Amino acid sequence: MPFIALACHASRVGEQAIDSRTWRLLEPAGLAWRCWDDEYIVFHAWSGMTHSLDAIAGTVFELLLDHAATAGDLATALAGLADAPATDSLSAAVQQVLHRFDEVGLAEAVP
């Protein structure tokens, strides 16, 4: 089962390039998911794949279930949920999650 996990370390958001594309989940109707103690399990019916997500990736997944968003918007939302400032490492973690979602067929950048 693929596992998407990322570490996040604090540093203020600076001049790091942030992916400005808007991202959305692919085939959200074909996704079944559950969360237990900050670990998410996502089943993608169309591919037959099951994915295990850590808390950051799982929260990004939940945010994308609500609506398409940019990496910057997702990082800001995550920081707000944690009542913490957005950081370079959080933005980088979100971008890594989005690119991994793209690789495994969970999400795509909107053209």
Side-chain angles (χ1 to χ4, degrees), residues 3-108:
F3 183 73
I4 301 171
L6 300 166
C8 186
H9 305 285
S11 67
R12 291 245 175 239
V13 174
E15 298 300 316
Q16 180 176 343
I18 295 177
D19 186 345
S20 62
R21 298 177 294 172
T22 299
W23 290 82
R24 67 177 176 198
L25 291 179
L26 289 172
E27 306 293 340
L31 299 171
W33 64 279
R34 295 289 180 264
C35 177
W36 298 275
D37 298 324
D38 291 333
E39 183 177 339
Y40 292 72
I41 303 298
V42 178
F43 176 69
H44 187 244
W46 304 111
S47 70
M49 297 286 296
T50 300
H51 306 280
S52 176
L53 312 179
D54 70 358
I56 292 174
T59 304
V60 167
F61 175 81
E62 282 195 78
L63 291 168
L64 288 175
L65 279 172
D66 288 336
H67 57 81
T70 66
D73 293 338
L74 293 165
T76 299
L78 281 170
L81 291 170
D83 197 26
T87 63
D88 284 339
S89 56
L90 179 59
S91 295
V94 168
Q95 290 182 94
Q96 288 176 340
V97 166
L98 292 171
H99 291 287
R100 183 68 181 135
F101 281 4
D102 186 33
E103 288 173 358
V104 299
L106 289 177
E108 68 177 354

